[in-house]
Amino acid sequence: MDISYRAPKFAHPFSRHTVIILTSLTDLRAALADHRTAGRRVGLVPTMGFLHAGHMSLVEYARAHSDVVVMTIFVNPTQFAPTEDLAKYPRDIPRDTAMAEKAGVDILFVPAVDEIYPAGFDTFVMPGAQGSILEGAIRPTHFRGVLTVVAKLFNMILPDVAVFGQKDFQQALLLRKMARDLNFAVDVLIAPIVREADGLAMSSRNVYLSPDERAQARVLSASLAEALHRIADGERSAAQLEQAIRTHIMSAPAAAIDYIAIAAADTLAPVEQLEPGRTAVIALAVRIGKTRLLDNILVENL
Ligand code: AMP
């Protein structure tokens, strides 16, 4: 009797999806070459790991727009200033692997630092003017690091689409601009912000918050919700909205505001008055204790 098991030619819809974990660029290129030969579209989701539901939503977005989803997990040293949290950035690759697999990631690329930055690496992608305002004003070398690593991932993976989160609005805008300005043949998609039940935007850095700080962190999203209510009631003045947001945030004793920006959503140029037909973004960077948090909302369809 033949008891040898033959795998079905096509995966059964209920069979468990398995993710392939790769750490070497050579293996990654070989795996992708097979998919490309088969004519499959490749979707890329770059992350720094310590995954949460926000990252999972990017995978879902990528799956909807491609046939093979590559997620990268790489805590990119060039986007951290020497004073920042590179060493203590949260990491949990086993947990991330299980989550990525469950979300339907096909290839998980987890390179070591010297795979991305071999000895002698010394070439960077510099953002233009939109990279030196807001986050760029406070973290002057940050976007240079982000653009450089994503340009490298684009060249390594040659994705058809790449998905980034609106949570890091300025970053997503700069990456879309980089793809256009430097002719990367990739569609940069921007997925909405995934939030905790109380409104806090999900972030790997939320684990830094003490329980008391976590409760106070609610003021970011709550102040944006209040601004939307005021806009619905007819407020159009950016100065008035900014003042209302500032007052709301400062009601949390642990909060310190880095910036509140009300700007054109396509250029990040400051706006004084909200106007119909011009989508604006209200973007916040707020420190709660030692933890720096970002949030934003789009104001459209006035
Ligand atoms: P990170 O691992 O924090 O570098 O984030 C990787 C990607 O996930 C970036 O494109 C982020 O903008 C995106 N992202 C982070 N948090 C969220 C969130 N709460 N909702 C949607 N996307 C997010």
Side-chain angles (χ1 to χ4, degrees), residues 46-49 52 54-55 58 89 164-165 167-168 171 192-194 201-202:
T47 81
M48 297 206 299
H52 51 66
H55 297 112
L58 304 190
Y89 194 85
F164 299 92
K167 155 80 181 348
D168 301 281
Q171 164 177 289
I193 301 176
V194 176
M202 289 194 181

Side-chain angles (χ1 to χ4, degrees), residues 45-61 71-73 89-105 108 163-168 171 191-197 199-209 214 292-295:
V45 179
T47 81
M48 297 206 299
F50 210 69
L51 302 177
H52 51 66
H55 297 112
M56 299 300 100
S57 77
L58 304 190
V59 172
E60 212 170 291
Y61 228 73
M71 174 185 271
T72 61
I73 296 182
Y89 194 85
R91 291 160 166 93
D92 190 343
I93 294 297
R95 177 172 156 276
D96 287 353
T97 304
M99 285 179 75
E101 182 160 85
K102 202 161 163 226
V105 170
L108 190 58
V163 187
F164 299 92
Q166 182 194 318
K167 155 80 181 348
D168 301 281
Q171 164 177 289
I193 301 176
V194 176
R195 298 177 177 283
E196 302 285 358
L200 177 66
M202 289 194 181
S203 164
S204 308
R205 289 189 166 102
N206 290 350
V207 294
Y208 297 153
L209 298 166
R214 171 63 189 81
R292 203 162 169 279
L293 302 175
L294 303 185
D295 202 347

